[in-house]
Amino acid sequence: MKKIKISIPATVSNLVCGYDILGLALQYPCDIMELEMLDEPGIFITHIDEFGLPEDPTLNLSGIALQALLNDYTSPVGFRLTIEKKIKPGSGLGSSAAAAAGAVIGANFLLNNFYSKEELVEFAMEGEKIASGVKHADNLAPCIYGGVTLIRSLEPIDIIPMPSPELFVTVVHPQIEVKTSEARNILPKNISLKDATTQWANVAGLIAGFYSNNIPLIGRSLVDVIIEPARAALIPGLEEVKRKCMEHGAVGGGISGSGPSIFMFSQMENVAWKIEKQMMEIYTNLGIPFKTYVTTINPEGVKIISSE
Ligand code: HSE
């Protein structure tokens, strides 16, 4: 196999209370990436999308992640990448993780799965670090493993894939820019023991909910007393979206990653569409352009579209 075309899913990280440790993969939207393995060393990148991202591999997140893999791989091979990004950078839907993860997963397929998933997360984190200023894997892990994942530790890396509940996910992406690095800089450096206790109770509740498929428990555990209060000011409409979606039957939800996207879970498809309508009305009234997605959790992560 010399060539492969893959789709790489958007991801929702944090899952409200699990800052930097929880995430899930979505069925949609997805980036599309084609990789061709070359006999000569080198990384060549072409973007066929509208985002004006750098094609120089030393500045491109896919290139940086792939170079981390090639620095470890002993044979001199190269890759030509053609990338069609559909996950907008800065959306809070794991755009940078998709760029980094797609490159290393695609290359690994062509290298006959030489590397483990954990090793791929390590390589991809080199790219992700450029986007947010620090290493974190809560978007990368679900992208690479699929489903819902827990990052118990980064050093040493310890990723726990978890059961995925059968829930619909409605996402609104208000078209405002929130830089991950800035959304991290405004976070409190110290927190009270009371808030820490509330937060880890909710993380534990959420994980118990995933394992027991207890949807009401998942819903009432989606509470963040530390990160979301600090970031709420960056996202106009956040409180209204959460309130109105809950009134219309959502299970729960909140900021996706560092924002500005907001996600809401629901149990029934018709509720997921009703929630989308609420989100649309709120951002239309605020005069902020937006995109919405109604989708489900993607248990597989990256998918192969074709290979030759
Ligand atoms: N866990 C990260 C954050 C996700 O909230 O800053 C952003 O990519």
Side-chain angles (χ1 to χ4, degrees), residues 174-232:
Q175 308 281 297
I176 50 173
E177 194 182 356
V178 174
K179 285 211 166 84
T180 299
S181 49
E182 283 164 23
R184 295 179 78 88
N185 283 341
I186 60 166
L187 297 178
K189 301 285 174 277
N190 298 294
I191 58 171
S192 68
L193 184 59
K194 183 169 172 286
D195 283 349
T197 307
T198 304
Q199 197 83 354
W200 61 55
N202 282 319
V203 171
L206 189 55
I207 287 174
F210 288 144
Y211 274 94
S212 57
N213 200 29
N214 182 335
I215 305 298
L217 176 58
I218 291 175
R220 63 180 187 273
S221 302
L222 289 167
V223 176
D224 176 359
V225 297
I226 297 169
I227 308 298
E228 197 168 280
R231 287 180 170 171

Side-chain angles (χ1 to χ4, degrees), residues 168-172 240-253 262-283 292-294:
F168 290 87
V169 190
T170 311
V171 176
V172 62
E240 196 182 354
V241 167
K242 287 178 60 179
R243 183 169 45 77
K244 289 236 169 99
C245 292
M246 293 305 287
E247 283 168 12
H248 283 80
V251 168
I262 304 167
F263 79 99
M264 297 300 296
F265 283 139
S266 47
Q267 248 181 309
M268 308 293 289
E269 186 171 358
N270 67 327
V271 174
W273 291 107
K274 268 196 224 163
I275 286 172
E276 184 202 34
K277 196 161 162 265
Q278 292 303 311
M279 292 169 163
M280 289 164 119
E281 271 178 27
I282 291 167
Y283 283 101
T292 52
Y293 306 97
V294 177

